[in-house]
């Protein structure tokens, strides 16, 4: 019906309008055909590209190889590299051990002993040489000394009498009242009296020396580490040590060091000691290295001398950092050094930015990294991180580390 109406209308339209309308419809039909052909070409091209990609993927999987390197640096993975150069490295090693007095002096009973009257020092006190540490009751000894002193007076009186008799005899011998034999007898009596005086004096000196040894004196100046005597206690020559004194208050650390590391230490080497439970550090130096190695744990003792300080407690546990010499070598962080069954190695950047494996020998280990004893000159570009995800021969894009 609509078609007939359209035809009916065309009967009354001018011929030039009908021709123009017909031309317009022809152009629209031509344009639609062109669009359809263009879309068809696009679809065909897309199908061809997809087919080629599938063929390439299949060939790569079946051949087991990697796709050919396009050489595009933007597509290669970025890795951080550095040229380590050569650095003077101070090697250190850590050790553990206990703190002790460097020179301990035991103080015991020197004399015959007796009852303790007073104790004048305690553990932790600083004493000087010759100071009285313990006083012993000497009431009996004082009486003996008084008796010996009296004996000297008796002997001296006998000597004075013998000397007077001899002098009178010498005056009478000239007159012939006393014979020469009498003079000789009186002279001998005088000499005997003089000898008795000397004996009495020697006995008194002996008693005084013994009495002086009753008290217990500090043999050296230093820090009292222990005390095992109390007032009222009876002591004698067989009594164990009453005091232990650290001579001069000097301390030391008995650092336990492995057999291999011990060979890298020498006397005079500086060390830092840090007691457990404190943040304080004390400077010292190795003054003696044990001449033997423990057969059980394969360790030796390095004795580190320390000056007196209240923070050093004998018997306490401590850690030590000991200098173990210097070395001029490349220094790398631990992340750059890897190892496997063949040994230690690093990845360096070779020609065309390809990964190259380089075997190295590690040296001193410091807080700043690992020293490379051999295998690197220091001018190479070494991969710092992510070495475990790289393969030898892989192309990468090296970048400098961030500052």
């Amino acid at each position: 019906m609509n078609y007939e109406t359209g035809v009916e209308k065309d009967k009354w339209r001018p011929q030039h309008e009908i021709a123009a309308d017909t031309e317009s419809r022809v152009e629209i039909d031509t344009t639609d055909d062109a669009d359809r052909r263009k879309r068809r070409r696009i679809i065909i091209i897309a199908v061809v590209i997809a087919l080629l990609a599938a063929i390439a993927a299949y060939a790569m999987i079946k051949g087991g190889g990697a796709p050919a390197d396009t050489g595009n640096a933007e597509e290669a993975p970025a890795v951080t590299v550095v040229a380590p150069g050569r650095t003077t490295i101070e090697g250190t090693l850590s050790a553990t051990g206990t703190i002790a007095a460097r020179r301990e002096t035991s103080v015991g009973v020197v004399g015959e002993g007796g009852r303790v009257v007073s104790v004048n020092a305690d553990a932790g006190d600083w004493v000087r040489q010759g100071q009285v540490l313990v006083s012993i009751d000497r009431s009996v000894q004082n009486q003996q000394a008084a008796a010996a002193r009296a004996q000297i007076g008796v002997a001296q009186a006998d000597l004075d009498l013998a000397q007077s008799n001899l002098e009178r005899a010498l005056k009478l011998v000239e007159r012939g009242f006393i014979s020469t034999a009498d003079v000789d007898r009186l002279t001998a009596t005088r000499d005997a009296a003089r000898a008795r005086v000397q004996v009495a004096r020697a006995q008194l000196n002996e008693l005084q020396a013994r009495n002086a040894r009753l008290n217990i004196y500090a043999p050296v100046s230093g820090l009292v580490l222990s005390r095992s005597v109390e007032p009222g206690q009876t002591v004698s020559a067989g009594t164990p040590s009453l005091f232990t004194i650290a001579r001069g208050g000097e301390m030391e650390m008995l650092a336990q060091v492995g057999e291999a590391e011990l060979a890298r230490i020498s006397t005079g080497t500086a060390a830092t000691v840090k007691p457990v439970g404190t943040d304080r550090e004390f400077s010292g130096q190795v003054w003696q290295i044990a001449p033997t190695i423990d057969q059980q744990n394969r360790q030796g003792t390095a004795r580190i001398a320390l000056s007196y300080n209240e923070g050093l407690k004998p018997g306490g546990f401590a850690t030590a950092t000991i200098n173990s010499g210097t070395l001029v070598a490349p220094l790398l962080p631990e992340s750059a050094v890897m190892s496997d069954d063949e040994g230690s190695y690093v990845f360096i950047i070779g020609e065309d930015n390809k990964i190259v494996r380089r075997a190295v020998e590690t040296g001193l280990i410091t807080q700043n990294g690992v020293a490379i004893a051999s295998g690197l000159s220091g001018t190479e570009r070494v991969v710092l991180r992510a070495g475990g995800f790289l393969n030898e021969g892989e192309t990468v894009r090296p970048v400098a580390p961030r500052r």
Side-chain angles (χ1 to χ4, degrees):
M1 179 186 223
N2 292 336
Y3 176 75
E4 291 178 356
T5 303
V7 173
E8 188 67 25
K9 287 181 179 181
D10 289 343
K11 291 180 11 180
W12 304 104
R13 294 174 62 188
Q15 291 297 321
H16 66 279
E17 291 181 2
I18 295 173
D21 192 20
T22 302
E23 251 178 57
S24 175
R25 284 197 294 269
V26 171
E27 287 181 4
I28 292 172
D29 292 341
T30 304
T31 302
D32 291 340
D33 292 340
D35 291 339
R36 284 193 295 271
R37 287 193 298 270
K38 184 176 181 180
R39 286 196 297 270
R40 189 179 297 112
R41 285 195 299 270
I42 293 173
I43 291 172
I44 293 172
I45 292 172
V47 171
V48 171
I49 292 175
L51 183 59
L52 293 176
I55 294 173
Y58 175 77
M60 180 183 68
I61 294 173
K62 188 172 182 180
D69 188 3
T70 60
N72 189 350
E74 296 298 330
E75 297 178 359
V79 295
T80 304
V81 299
V82 66
R86 299 182 70 83
T87 307
T88 300
I89 305 165
E90 294 186 358
T92 59
L93 58 89
S94 297
T96 58
T98 56
I99 297 175
R102 182 175 177 183
R103 299 294 187 192
E104 285 189 1
T105 300
S106 296
V107 182
V109 179
V110 178
E112 60 190 33
R115 183 175 60 85
V116 176
V117 176
S118 63
V119 180
N120 306 319
D122 206 345
D125 293 344
W126 188 274
V127 296
R128 67 182 183 278
Q129 185 176 5
Q131 177 179 336
V132 177
L133 302 179
V134 177
S135 297
I136 304 294
D137 177 45
R138 60 180 66 195
S139 57
V140 175
Q141 288 81 359
N142 288 339
Q143 295 300 322
Q144 292 174 346
R149 195 175 293 107
Q151 288 296 329
I152 294 176
V154 172
Q156 185 65 47
D158 291 342
L159 174 61
D160 293 341
L161 178 59
Q163 182 66 36
S164 298
N165 291 335
L166 177 60
E167 291 176 355
R168 284 194 297 269
L170 290 174
K171 293 179 181 179
L172 295 175
V173 73
E174 297 177 356
R175 300 177 184 181
F177 295 104
I178 295 178
S179 65
T180 303
D182 292 334
V183 172
D184 293 340
R185 186 173 55 256
L186 291 173
T187 301
T189 302
R190 191 272 318 269
D191 293 342
R194 181 179 296 169
R196 285 193 295 272
V197 170
Q198 294 175 351
V199 170
R201 286 176 178 172
Q203 291 175 344
L204 176 61
N205 291 336
E206 179 185 0
L207 287 173
Q208 289 176 338
R210 288 182 177 180
N211 292 345
R213 296 175 64 185
L214 288 175
N215 288 341
I216 298 175
Y217 302 90
V220 294
S221 298
L223 179 68
V224 178
L225 300 179
S226 65
R227 160 187 160 175
S228 58
V229 60
E230 297 296 334
Q233 179 179 344
T234 301
V235 297
S236 63
T239 303
S241 174
L242 305 182
F243 295 91
T244 302
I245 299 177
R247 180 177 299 181
E250 296 180 344
M251 299 293 166
E252 68 176 356
M253 177 183 171
L254 304 176
Q256 300 300 311
V257 183
E259 182 178 4
E261 289 78 9
L262 196 66
R264 293 160 47 191
I265 305 175
S266 59
T267 56
T269 301
T272 302
V273 175
K274 182 178 180 181
V276 171
T278 179
D279 294 332
R280 300 181 62 184
E281 293 183 346
F282 303 91
S283 298
Q285 64 177 12
V286 178
W287 73 275
Q288 187 182 76
I289 298 175
T292 59
I293 300 295
D294 190 297
Q295 295 182 359
Q296 301 297 325
N297 55 25
R298 310 308 304 172
Q299 290 185 336
T301 302
R303 304 177 68 177
I304 304 173
L306 300 166
S307 300
Y308 168 73
N309 191 287
E310 294 180 355
L312 296 172
K313 306 296 184 183
F317 194 74
T319 59
T321 302
I322 307 173
N323 294 339
S324 58
T326 59
L327 175 68
V328 179
L331 185 67
L332 291 173
E334 294 184 9
S335 61
V337 182
M338 296 164 288
S339 62
D340 56 16
D341 295 339
E342 297 181 7
S344 300
Y345 66 94
V346 297
F347 280 145
I348 65 174
I349 306 300
E351 297 181 358
D352 300 327
N353 290 338
K354 292 185 180 297
I355 294 293
V356 177
R357 172 175 170 145
R358 177 72 62 83
V360 296
E361 181 180 349
T362 59
L364 300 176
I365 300 177
T366 70
Q367 296 179 349
N368 298 324
V370 181
I372 306 301
S374 63
L376 292 178
S377 65
T379 59
E380 300 88 349
R381 294 181 296 170
V382 181
V383 177
L384 290 185
R385 291 178 293 274
F389 300 96
L390 300 175
N391 297 313
E392 189 172 9
E394 182 178 353
T395 301
V396 296
R397 179 164 52 90
V399 296
R402 295 181 180 179
R403 298 294 182 182

